[in-house]
Amino acid sequence: MPALLTDRPNVRQEFADKISHVVRFAGDSGDGIQLQGQQFTVASALAGHDLATLPDFPAEIRAPAGTRYGVSAFQIQFGGDRVTTPGDAPDVLIALNPAALVVNLANLVPGALIIVDESAFTAQRLKRASLDTNPLEDDTLEKFDVCPVDISHLTLEAAKPFGLGAKDAMRCKNFWALGLVLWMFDQPRDATAHWIQTKFANNEAVRNANLAALSAGHAYGETAEMGHILSQHPIPEAPLDAVEYRTITGAEAMALGLVAAGELADTELLFCSYPITPASSLLHHLTGLDDAGVATFQAEDEIASICAAIGASYAGKLGVTSSSGPGIALKTEALGLAVATELPLIVVNSQRAGPSTGMPTKTEQSDLYQAVYGRNADTPLPVLAAHSPADCFETAIEAVRIALRHMTPVILLTDGYIANASELWPIPNIDDFQVITNNKPTETSGDIWERDAETHARLWAAPGDKGFIHRIGGIEKDIVTGNISYDADNHQAMTNLRQAKVESVANFIPEQTIDQGTTAGLAVVAWGSTYGAVYQAVKECLQEGLAVAHIHLRYISPLPKNLHDLLTRYDKLLVPELNTGQLATLLRDKLLVDIQQLNKVSGQPLTVAEVKEAIARLANPRMQEVTNA
Amino acid sequence: MPELSFKNFATDQEVRWCPGCGDYSILKAVQRSLAEAGAKPENTVFVSGIGCASRLPYYIESYGFHTIHGRAPAIATGVKLANPKLDVWVITGDGDGLSIGGNHLLHALRRNIDVNILLINNEIYGLTKGQYSPTSRVGTTSPSSPGGSVDSPIDPGRFAIGAGATFFGRAVDIDQKGLPGLLNEARGHEGTSFIEILQNCIVYNKDVFDDVANKKTAADHQIHVQHGEPLLFGKTNDKGLRLNPSTLALEAVMVGHDGVTTRDILVHDETNATFAHLLLSMEAPLPTAMGVIHRRRLESFDRAFWNSKTQKRRQKVVNLLHQGNLLDRRNGSE
């Protein structure tokens, strides 16, 4: 056995004093790790903790058991304070096999508690994980506090009375381990028990075995008398101000935002897409919502999906399409058609690591150039980016608002991390949102090319409207009549108009604000899913007395009108991104500002420590107390 | 309400096809059929891709959408799903529909969405100045195949039947008698109707269909099929088609010769896909089949697509927001 850090009481005390923890569940991709994590998330939320989660799973559906590349993991940070990231480094790891243990060691904090399924460390399974020696017996784990538990055997024991075969009984071990971790943090089991009862309502044996495993894991914690390593750590409730909360993933929030936007705009939505990781979950969440005004169409390919969405918009409903980078590339020509015909359209890009197929389940922010510039000709369109799972709700509403107000396609950027991650969400009241206006005709006949002076929008007349029969298309049109035109001056005028239309969006969006921090010194200017890490890093740096601010952009194109004035108040600007510097280039181009970059393109989210390190290099101590909370 | 004449379906736009192009007579037949069917311009939508044929929507007084190369069936699908009450037409060509857009055509056909697709086939790329197309016969000389094309052509009819089409018809561009009627049959069909129109590109592929379309020989080289009627052709209907059981193919016979009677002649069954395949596999000197070659009933995709309607929407949205595991801090947890 490795030496236990429990012999060093200060480490245990530090662990016990924490009001938030980072727990990582890991096992084979067939072990039900994601389910385990989701159930722990629910329990955590019900206990009143703030939280953020990160599922981290392989692209292979069922990779060969026991291999390193087949490890599936779920990480959660939860606690009694505001939580904005799933945590840089876990302080608790639950590993159900040798591979799950070794691939996760590098990220653990020193002194982390590791709970392992001892019985999974057989010679054969060590070999599967490419291990020559047993890490439970050599010095691999000497920096950590290790709690080996015979989880497999104890699960079989718990499931025994219900007559399941060994294979089925073993499938209950995720709930056994969950029971133990729920005990450890004094989290409620009721929601998980309820979930098991509903899920296995028609299979009594499986239902009872899973319930028994959950209880057995919990009881083990209470009775095992391993207090020297395994003890209970109740966490205080987080200071939450809203009344009602739920947990929500980015894909769920995006779906709800689109549904709510349709209702606010009094327009039905046709969501057309083609399956692609990590964007497919949005399609799944939007199915079956006909009575809420959304229909979904799974098209034959990416091109057909955007084309069907454009067809829907032409016919008077709002077309929405969704994909990830490679699929967006295929949609590009049709996006040009939507710009040329001035139709409203929402295109959601759940970015993933590229180029080409890249790493489909890993996250990146590298499609910003594609969104802003990636079309043939001068084809501008508004681009927005969501910054967190919950923020997808509001950003989706804003995207729909812009598309309908200006009669333009809008690209909405999210990413694999936001789509799959979850957080606690104060449930909004839809009546608090402003109604979304559109450009549908209010008269019985008229000219669809008569434009709104401020939004440059044309009328959104659709087939069925008797007084507005018209033809549109991708050929350049006359600015007045809408008929085909190859006239030189007209093309110039139309090009200017398309540009002016997108620029006019800046007159309607809110001015950029400072998320937190000082009004001088260093500004960390970020976008998208780096929000949580930047927020926490800036918060800690402010506490350490540095002059630093966090400015997070939702509107990427056009930029908020005051952004230049805001940014030039700072001595230095730092732009952290999960790409090689795409927002940095855009800001230099649009605002002529000097920018320091922090770039990471590893498929993993930015950590708080990485941002803090960059801030520490650039920021100076705060001279005066000018803060903006 | 006054009846609309075919002139009411013409726009004020100058038609820009080459003088003598077969598209002129197709345009006229479309306008005529809309008038005959009592179509309402405001409820009619023509969607096209790219190519000479795809200019047609500009010339029809109805809603029209000239889209991008090959994608018209996909855009038309979105139009029809958004508003199933509309009468939706797709205008495409052999390059647009069967080359760059082959995938969308395939899926429109197998999905059976209620749109009418007119594929105007001239076996050549006209708008890009005369390259061979996916329907060009082997040996077609063109700027991109100066030594003659070597790839085998695709047959639109057999493609459609293979994709599970529920309606396939064929006509010649200049057939002002048969084409408007065929268009109306297509319009009345629930599901995807697909019509191939043999069109004469007088600039790049002049008279490529002359062996079929030439009025002087049409009676012997075309057979106009009708459901339930014997497959007879020729000026005096003295020729007929029968099945050769040893080759599993159709053969032409003379009624009254060699002991052949009308009872030997096959009767057209438009509901039978194998029958359609036999008719579409005929090569010269056998006649080319025209008219409704295949038609069968199957619930259309757009009808199956909508199973419930938007209702009590705000309440539904509020319910969705509150779905899942709630932390309600007023009354404790749910």
Side-chain angles (χ1 to χ4, degrees):
Chain A
M1 285 293 289
L4 291 178
L5 285 179
T6 33
D7 305 339
R8 289 173 251 171
N10 55 327
V11 175
R12 296 314 305 156
Q13 194 52 49
E14 217 173 273
F15 187 92
D17 289 346
K18 279 184 162 182
I19 61 163
S20 69
H21 285 280
V22 180
V23 175
R24 191 168 176 94
F25 299 91
D28 257 334
S29 53
D31 279 343
I33 297 299
Q34 300 305 319
L35 174 63
Q36 197 181 24
Q38 286 155 10
Q39 290 301 321
F40 187 80
T41 304
V42 168
S44 218
L46 292 177
H49 302 142
D50 200 359
L51 58 91
T53 72
L54 171 69
D56 188 4
F57 45 83
E60 294 78 14
I61 302 302
R62 289 279 160 89
T67 57
R68 292 186 181 209
Y69 63 87
V71 172
S72 174
F74 186 99
Q75 187 168 314
I76 176 170
Q77 177 163 214
F78 65 99
D81 197 0
R82 175 138 192 233
V83 172
T84 59
T85 78
D88 286 5
D91 53 15
V92 179
L93 171 69
I94 296 92
L96 294 185
N97 67 29
L101 173 69
V102 292
V103 300
N104 286 304
L105 284 180
N107 283 335
L108 299 183
V109 293
L113 172 66
I114 299 176
I115 299 171
V116 290
D117 182 4
E118 194 179 12
S119 40
F121 285 68
T122 59
Q124 188 203 10
R125 297 179 81 176
L126 290 169
K127 202 177 150 202
R128 279 281 183 84
S130 313
L131 287 165
D132 297 328
T133 58
N134 186 344
L136 299 182
E137 288 161 5
D138 60 23
D139 57 3
T140 311
L141 305 177
E142 66 179 3
K143 279 197 302 185
F144 307 107
D145 227 352
V146 184
C147 178
V149 183
D150 193 355
I151 295 176
S152 297
H153 181 242
L154 291 166
T155 303
L156 288 178
E157 284 290 303
K160 208 175 192 175
F162 307 103
L164 294 182
K167 202 176 161 194
D168 283 338
M170 279 297 273
R171 292 173 65 121
C172 303
K173 74 180 170 194
N174 56 340
F175 283 114
W176 196 98
L178 178 63
L180 178 60
V181 184
L182 288 174
W183 168 80
M184 200 177 148
F185 294 106
D186 199 17
Q187 315 264 43
R189 266 175 300 162
D190 320 9
T192 302
H194 180 73
W195 184 91
I196 293 171
Q197 276 155 354
T198 315
K199 176 77 181 175
F200 303 113
N202 299 323
N203 193 333
E204 198 183 339
V206 171
R207 180 174 71 236
N208 290 336
N210 276 300
L211 287 170
L214 181 70
S215 299
H218 198 266
Y220 181 88
E222 269 175 17
T223 57
E225 293 186 5
M226 295 176 76
H228 57 296
I229 342 177
L230 208 56
S231 50
Q232 225 176 357
H233 301 275
I235 305 293
E237 284 195 11
L240 306 170
D241 13 310
V243 170
E244 283 181 299
Y245 286 86
R246 63 178 283 191
T247 59
I248 197 153
T249 66
E252 284 171 327
M254 185 71 77
L256 290 176
L258 291 169
V259 171
E263 161 63 11
L264 290 167
D266 194 20
T267 301
E268 286 175 308
L269 267 57
L270 188 64
F271 181 87
C272 309
S273 81
Y274 182 75
I276 183 171
T277 303
S280 308
S281 45
L282 185 53
L283 168 64
H284 306 163
H285 291 305
L286 283 168
T287 52
L289 300 182
D290 298 26
D291 51 354
V294 181
T296 57
F297 171 57
Q298 182 179 311
E300 60 268 26
D301 60 29
E302 296 285 0
I303 297 172
S305 69
I306 187 172
C307 285
I310 290 171
S313 288
Y314 176 65
K317 293 197 176 159
L318 179 61
V320 183
T321 188
S322 151
S323 190
S324 190
I328 301 293
L330 286 164
K331 296 181 197 290
T332 303
E333 188 197 10
L335 258 178
L337 177 69
V339 170
T341 51
E342 303 180 54
L343 283 166
L345 177 76
I346 304 295
V347 181
V348 182
N349 179 355
S350 301
Q351 300 165 93
R352 69 188 211 188
S356 188
T357 305
M359 302 193 288
T361 58
K362 306 299 175 192
T363 200
E364 214 159 278
Q365 296 183 297
S366 45
D367 296 345
L368 185 140
Y369 286 162
Q370 183 193 40
V372 177
Y373 304 114
R375 287 164 294 282
N376 60 301
D378 281 303
T379 314
L381 52 76
V383 178
L384 278 69
H387 74 235
S388 75
D391 185 56
C392 288
F393 182 79
E394 260 189 54
T395 311
I397 293 174
E398 281 311 294
V400 171
R401 199 183 292 285
I402 291 171
L404 293 179
R405 185 172 53 213
H406 299 269
M407 290 293 282
T408 177
V410 174
I411 290 183
L412 206 175
L413 295 172
T414 169
D415 61 35
Y417 164 65
I418 291 179
N420 290 315
S422 70
E423 64 180 334
L424 204 59
W425 185 44
I427 298 173
N429 182 351
I430 187 170
D431 298 329
D432 294 343
F433 286 82
Q434 225 184 351
V435 161
I436 297 176
T437 54
N438 63 43
N439 289 282
K440 290 213 166 138
T442 49
E443 313 283 323
T444 52
S445 68
D447 175 8
I448 66 157
W449 302 112
E450 218 166 85
R451 294 169 184 283
D452 182 284
E454 269 149 32
T455 65
H456 302 281
R458 68 172 179 89
L459 280 183
W460 190 18
D465 289 343
K466 201 173 175 184
F468 294 92
I469 292 176
H470 64 273
R471 270 74 52 193
I472 59 169
I475 300 185
E476 185 63 285
K477 60 180 178 285
D478 185 275
I479 196 165
V480 177
T481 65
N483 292 329
I484 292 177
S485 169
Y486 287 81
D487 182 79
D489 292 342
N490 179 71
H491 182 52
Q492 184 70 58
M494 280 305 301
T495 301
N496 298 348
L497 174 91
R498 287 186 280 266
Q499 191 66 37
K501 176 187 270 201
V502 173
E503 282 167 8
S504 76
V505 171
N507 298 329
F508 294 86
I509 60 177
E511 293 208 327
Q512 183 64 46
T513 56
I514 304 168
D515 285 77
Q516 60 168 338
T518 56
T519 52
L522 171 72
V524 185
V525 186
W527 68 284
S529 67
T530 55
Y531 178 85
V534 173
Y535 180 91
Q536 188 61 29
V538 170
K539 184 177 165 188
E540 290 175 19
C541 288
L542 284 167
Q543 283 163 359
E544 289 161 18
L546 294 176
V548 60
H550 176 197
I551 295 172
H552 212 82
L553 306 183
R554 170 183 282 171
Y555 302 93
I556 307 295
S557 184
L559 294 165
K561 282 205 294 191
N562 67 327
L563 190 62
H564 179 265
D565 289 350
L566 182 63
L567 296 192
T568 48
R569 282 187 226 154
Y570 292 86
D571 307 326
K572 287 178 188 163
L573 302 174
L574 169 68
V575 176
E577 295 178 86
L578 302 178
N579 60 44
T580 55
Q582 300 190 8
L583 179 68
T585 307
L586 182 91
L587 293 179
R588 286 188 195 112
D589 168 37
K590 294 286 177 191
L591 308 178
L592 289 173
V593 287
D594 188 30
I595 284 170
Q596 312 292 316
Q597 296 180 203
L598 170 62
N599 303 109
K600 173 175 170 180
V601 194
S602 67
Q604 293 298 325
L606 212 54
T607 65
V608 176
E610 286 162 344
V611 182
K612 280 186 76 176
E613 194 187 301
I615 292 173
R617 258 191 293 119
L618 297 167
N620 296 315
R622 198 154 66 218
M623 304 303 284
Q624 54 194 38
E625 287 301 309
V626 189
T627 54
N628 187 338
Chain B
M1 207 177 77
E3 292 279 314
L4 296 176
S5 89
F6 76 92
K7 285 180 186 159
N8 295 109
F9 287 94
T11 62
D12 58 358
Q13 297 296 295
E14 185 191 346
V15 183
R16 296 190 188 184
W17 288 312
C18 308
C21 173
D23 286 346
Y24 283 94
S25 73
I26 295 168
L27 172 63
K28 203 169 164 192
V30 170
Q31 289 164 339
R32 189 169 281 172
S33 86
L34 291 171
E36 278 173 14
K40 289 201 167 81
E42 67 270 24
N43 292 338
T44 307
V45 187
F46 278 82
V47 184
S48 65
I50 293 293
C52 294
S54 291
R55 294 293 183 101
L56 192 127
Y58 290 113
Y59 311 134
I60 293 178
E61 184 57 25
S62 71
Y63 277 90
F65 199 168
H66 181 223
T67 70
I68 45 179
H69 206 11
R71 318 302 171 200
I75 288 180
T77 298
V79 171
K80 185 71 180 179
L81 289 180
N83 186 355
K85 287 182 197 150
L86 298 173
D87 184 19
V88 181
W89 297 75
V90 170
I91 306 294
T92 184
D94 41 315
D96 188 60
L98 286 167
S99 209
I100 192 167
N103 193 38
H104 307 305
L105 186 56
L106 164 74
H107 290 280
L109 291 168
R110 62 110 183 148
R111 221 176 253 136
N112 197 38
I113 187 152
D114 191 11
V115 301
N116 313 303
I117 302 174
L118 308 188
L119 185 135
I120 298 175
N121 182 11
N122 54 19
E123 297 189 0
I124 208 78
Y125 283 101
L127 203 58
T128 51
K129 302 199 190 307
Q131 300 83 356
Y132 70 103
S133 92
T135 56
S136 295
R137 293 160 214 191
V138 174
T140 298
T141 55
S142 78
S144 59
S145 58
S149 61
V150 291
D151 37 346
S152 294
I154 187 165
D155 174 62
R158 281 179 291 167
F159 171 85
I161 301 300
T166 58
F167 185 105
F168 179 75
R170 185 157 60 193
V172 172
D173 52 4
I174 52 172
D175 183 4
Q176 283 301 317
K177 225 167 76 187
L179 185 53
L182 183 61
L183 295 172
N184 274 332
E185 295 287 341
R187 189 174 182 271
H189 175 71
E190 188 198 321
T192 308
S193 9
F194 183 54
I195 293 182
E196 179 193 10
I197 302 173
L198 306 182
Q199 187 255 31
N200 189 18
C201 174
I202 52 122
V203 174
Y204 295 111
N205 214 8
K206 193 169 190 299
D207 297 336
V208 69
F209 295 115
D210 199 44
D211 53 336
V212 179
N214 192 322
K215 282 184 174 164
K216 287 179 196 155
T217 52
D220 287 334
H221 293 174
Q222 298 178 15
I223 176 163
H224 291 260
V225 301
Q226 274 205 314
H227 183 63
E229 298 292 326
L231 294 169
L232 293 168
F233 65 105
K235 261 187 189 137
T236 57
N237 265 354
D238 57 340
K239 295 174 184 167
L241 296 174
R242 73 173 179 193
L243 184 69
N244 181 331
S246 62
T247 62
L248 284 182
L250 299 179
E251 60 185 14
V253 291
M254 296 287 286
V255 179
H257 289 249
D258 304 324
V260 174
T261 71
T262 47
R263 269 187 294 177
D264 297 312
I265 304 302
L266 283 173
V267 172
H268 181 43
D269 179 1
E270 67 183 18
T271 66
N272 183 331
T274 305
F275 212 104
H277 195 82
L278 288 172
L279 286 169
L280 293 166
S281 299
M282 292 191 295
E283 285 176 17
L286 290 174
T288 300
M290 302 289 173
V292 181
I293 292 164
H294 184 56
R295 170 161 51 189
R296 66 190 166 93
R297 289 185 63 85
L298 183 72
E299 186 182 37
S300 72
F301 176 67
D302 43 295
R303 190 171 285 201
F305 184 80
W306 294 105
N307 35 38
S308 63
K309 277 203 166 146
T310 303
Q311 53 187 330
K312 293 190 183 158
R313 192 169 174 191
R314 177 141 311 208
Q315 190 51 49
K316 175 81 185 179
V317 173
V318 171
N319 294 347
L320 286 169
L321 294 178
H322 288 78
Q323 219 171 43
N325 291 279
L326 292 179
L327 168 65
D328 188 335
R329 304 171 79 236
R330 280 169 307 208
N331 316 310
S333 312
E334 190 182 277

